[in-house]
């Protein structure tokens, strides 16, 4: 899933689902941009985020 501002075509922030492949009972974690994937989970999709790092509040340093 990517959220893009219609007037700013190059300002997108990607949210990708992370799952535990063999355990469907585990809830999905949503990964913002290039944030680290939680241990034991697999992130699905591609990070297409193209906004300035200063605007990515969810991408704090790990």
């Amino acid at each position: 899933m990517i959220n893009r501002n219609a007037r700013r075509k190059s300002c997108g922030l990607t949210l990708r689902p992370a799952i535990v492949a063999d355990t469907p009972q585990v809830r999905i974690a949503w990964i913002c941009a290039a944030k680290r994937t939680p241990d034991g989970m697999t992130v699905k999709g591609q990070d297409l985020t193209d906004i300035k790092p200063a605007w990515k509040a969810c991408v704090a340093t790990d």
Side-chain angles (χ1 to χ4, degrees):
M1 169 175 31
I2 188 163
N3 183 11
R4 290 195 184 275
N5 184 318
R7 290 180 284 168
R8 295 186 180 108
K9 298 205 185 302
S10 65
C11 289
L13 180 65
T14 305
L15 293 175
R16 300 174 295 151
I19 62 166
V20 177
D22 297 332
T23 313
Q25 299 87 349
V26 176
R27 294 183 183 195
I28 294 173
W30 290 97
I31 308 301
C32 180
K35 188 99 171 132
R36 187 179 65 79
T37 304
D39 293 338
M41 299 189 93
T42 303
V43 69
K44 299 290 186 176
Q46 184 179 11
D47 178 18
L48 300 175
T49 300
D50 59 357
I51 62 175
K52 294 178 183 179
W55 295 350
K56 294 184 222 176
C58 66
V59 187
T61 56
D62 289 323

